[in-house]
Amino acid sequence: MTENSQQPQPAPTTELPTQYTPAEVEGQLYERWVERGYFEADAKSDKPPYTVVIPPPNVTGSLHLGHAFEHTLIDALTRRKRMQGYETLWQPGMDHAGIATQNVVERELGKEGKSRHDLGREAFVERVWQWKGESGGQISGQMRRLGDGVAWSRERFTMDEGLSQAVQTIFKRLYDDELIYRAERIINWCPRCLTAISDIEVEYQDDDGELVSMKYGDGDETIVVATTRAETMLGDTAVAVHPEDERYKHLVGKQIKLPLTDRSIPVVADEHVDPGFGTGAVKVTPAHDPNDFEIGQRHGLPSIAVMDEHAVITAHGPFQGLDRLEARSAIVAALRAEGRIVAEKRPYVHSVGHCSRCKTTIEPRLSMQWWVKVGPLAKAAGDAVRDGKVKIHPQEMEKRYFDWVDNLHDWCISRQLWWGHRIPVWYGPEGEVVCVGPDEEPPSGEGWRQDPDVLDTWFSSGLWPFSTLGWPEQTESLAKFYPNSVLVTGYDILFFWVARMMMFGLYAMDGTPPFHTIALHGMVRDQNGKKMSKSFGNVVNPLDWMDKYGSDALRFTLARGANPGVDVPIGEDWVQGSRNFANKIWNATRFALMNGATVEGPLPDASKMSSTDRWILSRLNSVVAEVDAYYEDYQFAKLSDALFHFAWDEVFDWYVELSKTTFQAGGEAAEVSKRVLGEVLDVTLRLLHPVVPFVTETLWTTLTGGESVVIAEWPQDSGFRDADAEREIGTVQSVITEVRRFRADQGLQPGQRVPARLTLAGSALAAHEAAVRQLLRLQPEGDGFAATATLPVAGVEVALDLSGVIDFAAERKRLAKDLAAAEKEKAQANAKLGNEAFLAKAPDHVVDKIRGRLTKADEDIARITTQLEKLPEA
């Protein structure tokens, strides 16, 4: 084991309180850590760097379980690395969250009877900054509650002056390299927020709609198409069929009448069309559908927009001025009146995109926007993983990453908002277009105006790994802490945030990727594996659980469920169980302190230790090695489970219990065991600290007298192993476990004492007889001892005198009754499973349930039969 980072001192004489109350210690411990600067990072340090950025939460946000989960994992990694001697930077900060923040402030204005237009752009932006100062960023305080060990002095905001300079710099470079351009394309448009939005801001859900099949053209030139958005037919500029579809070859190249209009449109042949789906013919509306836009580009079709930014029909005619949904019904009615409706299906359940902010149905819309040409950037992002510069963990997620970056479309980066980074482009009176860098003066004079749009939030957050370190300035922090060691984030934003950081990092930092490893985790779900949603009524506020059970309990529950790339179910019962674990650690350490456990002085030589001492130290070193391996593989669930079972089962339930007789006897053996127990607790608390920081801080400082476990040394495997001691204690455990099982089967109370004879002569267990008897509540055999039950276990014979303790006749009668019930259950289950007619009709879950009953009956019969065999005759 390693020495503590602080000089070991005798444990304080003050006893721990009888109970651990998280609320009384967590807040003050965290503030002490911050005040002492434990989480700060020094760019001048000669220690090796370890850097992680926080996925910046929205300034409008509050801590949810997803944040708590992700932050727990990052905090565990950074706390361990800090203990290992790395100059550790966990970079905090927040995202300005353009659309979300603007919506919040607009709602506030609405309560005053105003809109942003009443204020004007400049005053509105000032109002947003005012809101940010007064109400934004509450999540920072909640991160403190959770125990996030971030470098608060380095906190950044994506609209800070420095980060804004980074945004303008990279925009200018990309523009000059012809990787940013302006063009009219199809985008996701929110008619409520009145802006383009990114794919990640679109939530898809199954809606009840209608599928209408309608007839275009007349006579031999009739063709049937189907749509869920009948209102868009006013903007159709073609009907498309597959080139090899024999049904329509005679129509390709011809013009057919578009109903309800005075236009004719061509029939075009395009391989995008699936001839086996529906009628094999599709209407083409290039201005209102992304696939149709591509068809239109291939065939030189015009794009006719028939809706404005509010999704109100603008096409001339009787439908002009109608909302899109009103127009849908009116157009179907008009087509029906002309006899052009072939079929109508209602309800027609289909996936529909909604704005994640306001839940309005998204409208694909042709719009003039700014775009990033992602081809060369995405290729570099893909090559970085293929070449091994960046590793994705778990590796099976690589395929999803490649599927995305290898097929990226150009990225729409402009948003029709007022809050955000203004696009640094000016337009002149003669059609001039000038992109301005951060150190350049924008053109001025009559007729010059700046582009009114702002940049997509993902544009600035894509710069996060290096903009937060001072880029484009070549700062000491950038040189020390870039690239990041690991990015810990959810697989759900692999395509959006991660891909953008990869593209921008490689571009801006001369081919150096922003991180060495991408460690992907799943999403938090409820205890039944169901997605958490307000509509499902299963959303949990993590602060409630922290208030009730403590932050450590929540953190340990989340870490214990964190298998790489897999969703994490969580329920309150599990958090309560983790609270019980924290209490167990507390009580065991309190017991140890009361019995003189110490970290003072070196460990005694192994020759002076009992086999129990050598066993626990051997196991301790194995666990240190095991936990290290799991950390390096981002196996948080496995490392948490290993620590749980080692601490609870081996240290508290076995070592402490087996050592009680030694402590009671006193002498040199007791002093050795006290030092061993102190060592085991010291190391175990340090191993547990990254996941459960608060309770371990209190216990470790009390046990060791050290300044803080935050800056203690991370344990190292000393290489000490003792296979003989492990086998010996394994045998002791087998004997105790088997006798306990027998006592329970016979209905004996845990504290009920029973006379027993232990045949241990010549066995390694002879040295453990006192502990075995104490743990099993076995009295010495006295006069008149009669062995009514004999248990041969692991080469040891344990004879018990149960006379006067058990009414054998009554017990045999009870067991016989239970056996008859189990055999009846088995017969009934077999009868049903042997009935072919029943199996043919019964649902799978019913059949599975009966199979489970059969398995349970077999287990009960085996257990009861064994009990009867061991029970003496009355």
Side-chain angles (χ1 to χ4, degrees), residues 72 127-128 147 186 353 420 473 485 516 531 537 609 716 772 781 787 799 841 864:
T72 293
R127 179 70 177 258
V128 180
I186 293 283
E473 301 299 324
S485 306
H516 297 302
K531 182 180 178 181
M609 296 180 188
Q716 293 180 11
V772 170
E781 55 187 292
K841 295 179 181 178
I864 297 167

Side-chain angles (χ1 to χ4, degrees), residues 4-12 589 593 597-600 675 678-679 681-683 685-686 696-709 712:
N4 302 333
S5 62
Q6 309 301 313
Q7 288 296 319
Q9 302 173 24
T589 306
L593 288 169
T598 180
V599 297
E600 188 176 8
R675 179 65 188 91
E679 179 76 7
L681 285 175
D682 167 23
V683 173
L685 290 170
R686 282 187 278 152
T696 51
E697 172 79 342
T698 305
L699 295 176
W700 188 85
T701 52
T702 303
L703 173 70
T704 68
E707 180 185 336
S708 173
V709 70

Side-chain angles (χ1 to χ4, degrees), residues 637-824:
K638 289 182 179 179
L639 72 89
S640 299
D641 212 47
L643 287 170
F644 174 87
H645 287 294
F646 175 71
W648 192 309
D649 300 345
E650 298 187 85
V651 179
F652 306 147
D653 280 359
W654 283 112
Y655 180 71
V656 169
E657 293 299 323
L658 288 170
S659 300
K660 281 182 178 178
T661 53
T662 305
F663 293 149
Q664 291 163 3
E668 184 180 359
E671 294 307 309
V672 170
S673 290
K674 289 175 185 178
R675 179 65 188 91
V676 170
L677 178 54
E679 179 76 7
V680 170
L681 285 175
D682 167 23
V683 173
T684 301
L685 290 170
R686 282 187 278 152
L687 289 173
L688 281 165
H689 173 72
V691 181
V692 284
F694 294 107
V695 68
T696 51
E697 172 79 342
T698 305
L699 295 176
W700 188 85
T701 52
T702 303
L703 173 70
T704 68
E707 180 185 336
S708 173
V709 70
V710 176
I711 54 171
E713 238 183 281
W714 181 252
Q716 293 180 11
D717 175 11
S718 71
F720 177 80
R721 299 290 190 278
D722 193 322
D724 291 338
E726 291 197 36
R727 277 192 297 272
E728 182 176 319
I729 300 305
T731 303
V732 173
Q733 291 171 324
S734 297
V735 170
I736 292 173
T737 301
E738 185 60 30
V739 176
R740 279 176 172 167
R741 184 181 295 119
F742 177 78
R743 287 177 57 109
D745 287 345
Q746 304 310 316
L748 295 177
Q749 294 301 312
Q752 194 169 358
R753 304 193 73 80
V754 178
R757 178 191 298 135
L758 276 63
T759 307
L760 301 175
S763 165
L765 270 65
H768 302 281
E769 180 167 355
V772 170
R773 283 188 176 276
Q774 181 167 309
L775 289 173
L776 290 173
R777 306 294 189 268
L778 301 180
Q779 297 176 183
E781 55 187 292
D783 294 338
F785 177 83
T788 57
T790 302
L791 303 176
V793 186
V796 174
E797 190 173 272
V798 180
L800 304 174
D801 183 356
L802 301 177
S803 58
V805 178
I806 296 176
D807 182 339
F808 296 126
E811 184 65 11
R812 186 170 287 281
K813 186 176 180 180
R814 182 185 70 80
L815 289 173
K817 183 178 179 181
D818 290 348
L819 181 61
E823 287 173 339
K824 181 179 179 182

Side-chain angles (χ1 to χ4, degrees), residues 230-245:
E231 67 278 10
T232 63
M233 60 87 60
L234 299 174
D236 286 358
T237 56
V239 171
V241 298
H242 194 274
E244 297 178 5
D245 194 331

Side-chain angles (χ1 to χ4, degrees), residues 821-855:
E823 287 173 339
K824 181 179 179 182
E825 176 75 0
K826 178 178 180 177
Q828 289 176 342
N830 273 328
K832 285 191 175 181
L833 293 174
N835 185 333
E836 294 295 336
F838 169 78
L839 293 176
K841 295 179 181 178
D844 289 345
H845 72 273
V846 172
V847 175
D848 288 342
K849 186 176 181 181
I850 293 170
R851 288 191 177 120
R853 283 168 49 191
L854 177 60
T855 300

Side-chain angles (χ1 to χ4, degrees), residues 245-495:
D245 194 331
E246 294 294 337
R247 294 170 296 178
Y248 302 117
K249 279 195 172 180
H250 68 289
L251 290 177
V252 173
K254 292 187 176 180
Q255 298 279 326
I256 60 173
K257 180 75 165 66
L258 179 66
L260 308 182
T261 71
D262 58 0
R263 292 191 292 117
S264 292
I265 57 176
V267 177
V268 299
D270 194 280
E271 291 189 352
H272 168 77
V273 180
D274 180 359
F277 183 77
T279 63
V282 296
K283 58 190 287 298
V284 181
T285 321
H288 293 280
D289 184 274
N291 292 323
D292 292 3
F293 178 79
E294 297 296 333
I295 293 175
Q297 291 290 295
R298 286 193 290 271
H299 297 276
L301 301 173
S303 297
I304 302 175
V306 295
M307 278 179 260
D308 66 11
E309 59 186 8
H310 298 279
V312 170
I313 300 298
T314 57
H316 291 297
F319 312 108
Q320 188 174 10
L322 294 179
D323 171 80
R324 57 181 165 169
L325 298 181
E326 296 172 333
R328 183 175 300 172
S329 299
I331 286 170
V332 171
L335 290 168
R336 191 183 299 113
E338 288 190 5
R340 291 192 172 273
I341 297 297
V342 176
E344 297 176 73
K345 185 176 182 180
R346 295 190 188 89
Y348 179 72
V349 179
H350 62 131
S351 182
V352 177
H354 296 260
C355 174
S356 62
R357 303 299 174 193
C358 67
K359 310 309 176 187
T360 302
T361 300
I362 290 301
E363 188 63 44
R365 183 170 186 253
L366 188 63
S367 179
M368 182 66 77
Q369 302 285 346
W370 284 94
W371 304 80
V372 171
K373 186 184 295 182
V374 300
L377 302 174
K379 182 181 184 303
D383 289 346
V385 175
R386 288 189 174 94
D387 297 345
K389 290 182 182 177
V390 178
K391 297 187 183 304
I392 294 179
H393 187 86
Q395 192 174 359
E396 54 265 28
M397 286 285 182
E398 282 187 3
K399 182 179 183 303
R400 296 179 67 175
Y401 176 79
F402 293 135
D403 285 347
W404 181 257
V405 296
D406 292 347
N407 297 285
L408 267 179
H409 297 293
D410 285 0
W411 169 22
C412 175
I413 55 172
S414 45
R415 299 291 179 266
Q416 290 65 54
L417 303 171
W418 287 356
W419 172 244
H421 295 102
R422 188 94 174 256
I423 288 177
V425 171
W426 271 255
Y427 304 111
E430 303 299 325
E432 303 97 327
V433 179
V434 177
C435 180
V436 177
D439 300 322
E440 301 171 349
E441 286 295 323
S444 58
E446 186 177 349
W448 282 94
R449 60 184 179 85
Q450 187 178 359
D451 193 298
D453 289 352
V454 300
L455 287 162
D456 177 14
T457 295
W458 296 99
F459 190 94
S460 52
S461 60
L463 314 181
W464 191 248
F466 51 92
S467 64
T468 52
L469 298 172
W471 187 90
E473 301 299 324
Q474 296 304 305
T475 64
E476 286 183 323
S477 290
L478 188 65
K480 177 75 174 179
F481 296 114
Y482 186 92
N484 282 206
S485 306
V486 62
L487 173 74
V488 180
T489 192
Y491 65 72
D492 54 320
I493 57 172
L494 171 64
F495 316 131

Side-chain angles (χ1 to χ4, degrees), residues 13 21 24 36 48 55 123 163 227 237 270 286 314 532 584:
T13 55
T21 308
E24 294 179 1
R36 292 179 178 178
L163 272 67
T227 183
T237 56
D270 194 280
T314 57
M532 288 191 173
K584 184 79 170 180

